[in-house]
């Protein structure tokens, strides 16, 4: 009987330790990201071998931030339209949600995963975007 009780407690502890805390994703959101792959709701996938734009994400201390589309230039700088998408961060039902608002639209994305190298979000159309950290091309070598 003791071994069954121990196994139950151990299993519950293991299950609880595997649960992801979406709040830990916030620290990884900032930076330069490029789309690696998109999986549509019907399961079709599109891989991106080249991106002519990069998303830059910045977050303030107040759990608000913005995303800006940038176009890398060969000299290491970026061109931008300076049109940014403002968002607020909310943790709801064990999920990290980004609520965007522009003068033209508003929408929500849910962060499924965020590490120092990858970011995965799902939008209202159930399309899953997998981003990788942007690494600039070094043409000086």
């Amino acid at each position: 009987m003791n071994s069954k009780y121990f196994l139950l407690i151990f299993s519950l502890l293991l299950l609880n330790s595997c649960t992801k805390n979406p709040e830990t994703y916030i620290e990884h959101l900032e930076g330069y990201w490029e789309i690696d792959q998109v999986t549509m709701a019907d399961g079709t996938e599109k891989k991106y071998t080249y991106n002519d734009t990069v998303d830059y994400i910045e977050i303030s201390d107040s759990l608000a931030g913005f995303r800006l589309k940038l176009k890398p230039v060969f000299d290491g700088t970026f061109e931008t339209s300076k049109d940014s998408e403002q968002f607020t961060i909310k943790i709801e039902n064990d999920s990290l949600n980004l609520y965007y608002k522009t003068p033209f639209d508003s929408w929500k994305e849910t962060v499924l995963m965020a590490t120092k190298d990858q970011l995965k979000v799902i939008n209202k159309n159930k399309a899953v975007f997998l981003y990788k950290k942007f690494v600039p091309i070094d043409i000086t070598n």
Side-chain angles (χ1 to χ4, degrees):
M1 185 81 156
N2 265 347
S3 62
K4 287 182 182 180
Y5 181 71
F6 174 76
L7 185 58
L8 176 65
I9 296 297
F10 180 75
S11 298
L12 289 173
L13 288 173
L14 184 62
L15 180 63
N16 190 38
S17 68
C18 294
T19 305
K20 295 193 187 270
N21 179 357
E23 192 171 343
T24 62
Y25 296 157
I26 296 170
E27 68 184 277
H28 299 295
L29 291 178
E30 282 196 319
Y32 298 88
W33 297 97
E34 64 179 318
I35 296 175
D36 188 31
Q37 174 181 314
V38 178
T39 305
M40 305 307 287
D42 66 2
T44 58
E45 293 182 355
K46 178 174 180 174
K47 293 193 182 283
Y48 288 77
T49 56
Y50 170 77
N51 292 295
D52 62 348
T53 61
V54 173
D55 286 359
Y56 172 70
I57 297 174
E58 188 173 304
I59 300 171
S60 68
D61 291 338
S62 62
L63 294 181
F66 67 89
R67 179 168 65 181
L68 187 63
K69 294 281 187 191
L70 303 173
K71 187 171 189 161
V73 182
F74 286 112
D75 66 1
T77 62
F78 296 95
E79 293 177 357
T80 179
S81 67
K82 298 185 181 177
D83 292 330
S84 67
E85 300 166 339
Q86 305 295 318
F87 64 82
T88 56
I89 299 171
K90 293 184 181 176
I91 297 176
E92 303 166 312
N93 302 321
D94 295 326
S95 295
L96 181 68
N97 295 313
L98 307 177
Y99 287 90
Y100 288 89
K101 186 167 184 130
T102 69
F104 311 105
D105 197 7
S106 60
W107 67 97
K108 175 181 98 168
E109 292 180 344
T110 300
V111 177
L112 301 175
M113 181 258 309
T115 67
K116 66 180 184 111
D117 298 315
Q118 289 187 320
L119 172 63
K120 186 187 273 190
V121 299
I122 187 168
N123 66 14
K124 67 180 178 182
N125 298 323
K126 305 288 186 228
V128 177
F129 290 79
L130 178 62
Y131 294 85
K132 62 183 176 184
K133 275 290 188 186
F134 171 72
V135 179
I137 298 171
D138 184 3
I139 60 170
T140 60
N141 290 333

